[in-house]
Amino acid sequence: RDFNERCAQCSEVNWGLTDGGRFYCRSCHNVTEAKKPQTSTNKNTHHHTNYLSVYLLYLDGGCEWYVCEGFQLVLKKQAEALEVLGVCPQMKDEILCNFWRRYLQKSKQAYCNRPAGETVKALSVCDSSTDVDSEPERPSLLHLLSLSESEGDLQTDCSLASSISKVSESTSVYSGSVDGSLYLMKDQKEKLRMTMPMTLSFCYMALLWLREPMTLSDLLRFVVEGHIPYLNVFQHFPEKMTLCGLDLKIFCVESWPVYEEVYNKMLELAAFLDLPRFPDITDSCFLHPNMLCMKYLMEANLPDELHNWTCRVVKKICIGEVDFLTLVPGNKSTRKVKYDVLAVAVIVVVIKLLFLLDDHYEWLLSDFAEERNKNNNEGGPYFEFKKWYKVIKCSLDVEQKKLDEERAKYLWRCEKPLFYSVKKKSKVLKRRQMVVTLQNQFGKLSGSVRPAEKPKPSSFQLSWSEENTDGSCFHGHSLKGILQEKCGLLTAMNPDYWLCTVKLCTEKLCGHLAHYREVDFPQSYHFVLRLFSFLLRIQPSYIHDEVCLIEHKLFNKKLCKKPKYNTGLRK
């Protein structure tokens, strides 16, 4: 009552206190820097603590929480996991936190004159009719926005029980959160509503702002491998945040994250937040095509000399320029770059330039290199496409089979039991306990061994060492057998090239620049696409689109007719 200053956001005088002692506006949730003077512990403080405990019991061990608070916890867990993986510590407390605050303000969930939603209106009416001295202090969004606060503090965060009882009549019957039912209403779909895939969009946007050496494909792969919380992440929610009913539809995920969905939501989110131009992607950044091409050449077990050719292609079509690579949110005139897809597409184009990939010419070059290697006693061995194909296919088939088995065996049900109604909670818990008991008993009888811990995450899925004596590493192999010197420059011996498509598709509803069907292209070309699609965990058609776009830039739309080729690999 002694703090009579007007709120800077809504000009109202309706203040409350947070657990940290700061004043917040009950009308718009704005938090001031002013703090209540510290006083010694007295009976009133003790009375407040007991009063709060009574309401916690009234809520059957739960507390009032909002959907945005649930997503806040998800982002917090994901940011902490990224920090463990080596991401800059400032990502969580500075970059991601500011993005989240801006989203709450833009979506009118906080930092505005009147937060959106009928629930907030009901709470404000209830608060205004209650005596200030007798009501528990309403938590502010400062607690929600502080990503560095402990989980224990969040567990004690609860608000006026009388307001909960009024709102719960229309909301908590169907969900554990206050605004779960309102969150899924039709009018909410018009806004950029928060979803679980959008949490990954937030993380990737923060990584891109910091220019961290982690691509979107790496981020999604770490999610699938379990290094970043996403699937069943609500298991980490505090016990007092009851999750049931419609909350499961919001936070329960039963599908793997999709590259295109996360990327498109990131672009939409950056424009929605009115973010400025992102930091420049220069040639010294990891996301630059020259850097990423080097990484994927090593992972694909290709000769190091190919990097010179990828750099020449990047320079030729000007895709290494800062203005081309740097994201400018909301600017429709600039092309949005998928850095990992762009890099592997450049490599595919270079392989086509040198080996043609028409199911004929690459095998002739391989036979020629094999003959030269028999008589070559000096220098490194010549690169044999046929031998590389056999080594890569063997490793790729093994890794693909392992990945398919892991996905098939994945248990989508989480360890934490879920219930859609509070009335069925006891039945669900008993049933879950029975299932766990039976699993343990059958496990002892069958002598099953618990799976070993997952290996530490790595940027490379396939690793090759030049120290191997079996000749399975091709990094140091030479391209002299397929190159010739012309005007002081090394050029490919083969002057021909075939385009993947004569004309790019301009239909926006199509979603692709070119249509890709495996039967329409050489098998060697499809094999290269399959290799890089496995490394990026995306469909080959997306890489094919980027290859077509690079080809049209490289040859300035001077089209050449595709040769007639066989559908099988020649041996």
Side-chain angles (χ1 to χ4, degrees):
R1 291 182 176 181
D2 296 333
F3 191 68
N4 297 323
E5 295 184 8
R6 291 188 176 275
C7 177
Q9 291 282 351
C10 63
S11 300
E12 293 187 14
V13 182
N14 188 15
W15 299 102
L17 284 174
T18 67
D19 293 339
R22 295 183 183 273
F23 291 100
Y24 75 94
C25 180
R26 292 191 181 94
S27 300
C28 66
H29 296 173
N30 180 39
V31 183
T32 66
E33 297 295 332
K35 288 186 176 182
K36 181 181 179 181
Q38 298 291 335
T39 57
S40 59
T41 305
N42 51 30
K43 295 182 179 179
N44 294 333
T45 305
H46 180 68
H47 172 72
H48 169 71
T49 304
N50 293 337
Y51 192 62
L52 193 60
S53 301
V54 171
Y55 283 121
L56 288 177
L57 294 176
Y58 173 79
L59 290 170
D60 191 22
C63 67
E64 177 188 358
W65 63 281
Y66 293 84
V67 173
C68 59
E69 290 180 294
F71 282 116
Q72 164 62 34
L73 282 175
V74 175
L75 288 172
K76 178 176 179 290
K77 294 295 182 181
Q78 291 175 349
E80 291 174 349
L82 288 171
E83 189 173 347
V84 172
L85 293 176
V87 174
C88 180
Q90 72 179 102
M91 171 197 165
K92 181 180 73 171
D93 296 326
E94 297 182 18
I95 307 303
L96 189 58
C97 182
N98 289 330
F99 287 165
W100 181 243
R101 288 177 177 177
R102 196 172 182 88
Y103 171 78
L104 291 176
Q105 184 182 31
K106 287 286 185 180
S107 59
K108 296 183 180 181
Q109 299 183 58
Y111 299 107
C112 57
N113 292 335
R114 183 70 62 184
E118 297 177 3
T119 304
V120 178
K121 293 181 181 179
L123 290 176
S124 63
V125 171
C126 182
D127 290 343
S128 61
S129 62
T130 310
D131 187 18
V132 178
D133 291 337
S134 61
E135 68 174 359
E137 297 170 357
R138 174 144 177 90
S140 71
L141 283 175
L142 177 65
H143 179 80
L144 168 67
L145 296 172
S146 179
L147 284 162
S148 59
E149 289 191 6
S150 63
E151 188 175 286
D153 295 337
L154 186 59
Q155 293 179 3
T156 62
D157 187 9
C158 51
S159 60
L160 186 60
S162 60
S163 63
I164 300 173
S165 61
K166 292 185 178 182
V167 178
S168 62
E169 294 178 0
S170 59
T171 56
S172 60
V173 174
Y174 306 100
S175 63
S177 60
V178 173
D179 57 341
S181 58
L182 296 175
Y183 197 79
L184 296 177
M185 290 178 62
K186 293 182 179 180
D187 57 349
Q188 295 290 334
K189 295 181 179 180
E190 299 176 359
K191 305 174 184 178
L192 191 60
R193 189 178 61 186
M194 191 67 184
T195 59
M196 283 300 297
M198 274 185 61
T199 60
L200 301 179
S201 300
F202 264 102
C203 292
Y204 179 61
M205 188 167 59
L207 293 171
L208 185 57
W209 185 275
L210 291 172
R211 297 175 292 186
E212 286 287 331
M214 183 182 296
T215 61
L216 179 56
S217 58
D218 291 334
L219 176 67
L220 300 185
R221 179 167 56 86
F222 291 149
V223 168
V224 174
E225 293 176 354
H227 303 296
I228 298 177
Y230 180 75
L231 303 174
N232 300 327
V233 68
F234 49 83
Q235 294 182 111
H236 304 290
F237 282 14
E239 291 295 333
K240 294 182 180 180
M241 289 180 62
T242 306
L243 194 77
C244 65
L246 293 178
D247 300 327
L248 303 180
K249 187 175 181 180
I250 300 174
F251 294 100
C252 187
V253 179
E254 295 185 352
S255 61
W256 305 103
V258 181
Y259 185 102
E260 285 293 316
E261 180 183 1
V262 176
Y263 180 80
N264 292 333
K265 279 297 181 181
M266 187 276 295
L267 297 179
E268 188 178 354
L269 185 61
F272 176 75
L273 300 181
D274 292 329
L275 295 180
R277 176 187 170 105
F278 276 51
D280 293 343
I281 305 296
T282 61
D283 55 0
S284 61
C285 295
F286 177 82
L287 297 176
H288 193 276
N290 291 341
M291 292 287 189
L292 287 177
C293 284
M294 185 183 303
K295 172 185 181 297
Y296 292 121
L297 285 173
M298 294 176 60
E299 194 165 10
N301 198 14
L302 289 167
D304 299 332
E305 294 182 11
L306 285 177
H307 187 249
N308 296 329
W309 286 82
T310 59
C311 292
R312 291 171 63 177
V313 172
V314 169
K315 184 178 180 180
K316 177 70 175 179
I317 59 179
C318 301
I319 61 175
E321 302 295 331
V322 174
D323 293 337
F324 176 82
L325 297 173
T326 304
L327 176 62
V328 182
N331 190 349
K332 297 182 180 180
S333 60
T334 58
R335 181 169 175 262
K336 305 305 184 290
V337 181
K338 302 171 185 174
Y339 303 97
D340 41 9
V341 180
L342 178 66
V344 298
V346 170
I347 296 177
V348 174
V349 171
V350 168
I351 295 177
K352 285 184 62 180
L353 284 170
L354 300 180
F355 298 95
L356 198 58
L357 297 184
D358 65 344
D359 286 346
H360 177 67
Y361 184 72
E362 63 270 20
W363 305 117
L364 293 179
L365 292 178
S366 181
D367 295 337
F368 172 75
E370 184 179 2
E371 293 295 329
R372 294 289 298 269
N373 286 332
K374 292 180 180 179
N375 303 323
N376 182 24
N377 298 324
E378 298 180 359
Y382 287 15
F383 177 71
E384 300 180 31
F385 186 88
K386 183 188 299 182
K387 187 177 180 180
W388 172 83
Y389 167 79
K390 293 180 179 179
V391 172
I392 294 296
K393 188 177 186 303
C394 180
S395 299
L396 185 60
D397 291 343
V398 171
E399 294 297 327
Q400 186 66 55
K401 182 179 179 181
K402 186 187 303 183
L403 176 62
D404 295 339
E405 290 179 352
E406 290 178 356
R407 291 193 173 187
K409 295 178 181 179
Y410 186 81
L411 298 177
W412 292 100
R413 289 189 176 183
C414 61
E415 298 177 359
K416 184 177 181 180
L418 304 175
F419 48 92
Y420 289 87
S421 175
V422 179
K423 297 179 180 180
K424 298 181 180 180
K425 181 178 180 180
S426 59
K427 295 182 179 179
V428 173
L429 293 177
K430 290 181 180 179
R431 187 179 302 171
R432 181 61 180 174
Q433 183 62 35
M434 184 183 301
V435 170
V436 173
T437 303
L438 291 175
Q439 286 178 345
N440 294 335
Q441 292 178 353
F442 281 111
K444 293 179 180 179
L445 292 175
S446 61
S448 59
V449 182
R450 292 185 177 182
E453 295 183 358
K454 293 183 178 181
K456 294 183 179 179
S458 174
S459 298
F460 293 90
Q461 302 176 68
L462 304 176
S463 58
W464 314 93
S465 176
E466 297 184 6
E467 299 178 356
N468 295 343
T469 57
D470 55 356
S472 60
C473 181
F474 298 89
H475 291 161
H477 288 213
S478 175
L479 298 177
K480 292 181 180 179
I482 60 175
L483 301 178
Q484 62 181 356
E485 187 173 353
K486 187 177 182 180
C487 300
L489 294 175
L490 289 176
T491 61
M493 296 178 61
N494 174 52
D496 298 328
Y497 189 90
W498 59 271
L499 293 176
C500 292
T501 183
V502 177
K503 185 179 180 180
L504 298 177
C505 181
T506 57
E507 292 291 337
K508 295 183 179 180
L509 297 178
C510 175
H512 290 278
L513 296 174
H515 298 282
Y516 177 76
R517 292 195 310 169
E518 181 181 352
V519 295
D520 295 335
F521 294 91
Q523 287 299 306
S524 55
Y525 173 74
H526 173 72
F527 174 77
V528 175
L529 288 189
R530 180 193 165 208
L531 169 61
F532 288 110
S533 66
F534 171 80
L535 297 180
L536 301 187
R537 305 292 175 87
I538 61 175
Q539 295 296 325
S541 57
Y542 292 114
I543 303 177
H544 177 73
D545 286 351
E546 199 70 35
V547 169
C548 295
L549 190 59
I550 292 176
E551 289 179 344
H552 278 252
K553 287 184 177 181
L554 184 62
F555 296 102
N556 298 320
K557 298 183 179 180
K558 295 179 180 179
L559 306 179
C560 61
K561 187 177 180 181
K562 290 190 296 182
K564 296 181 180 180
Y565 38 73
N566 297 328
T567 58
L569 286 173
R570 298 189 179 183
K571 298 183 180 180

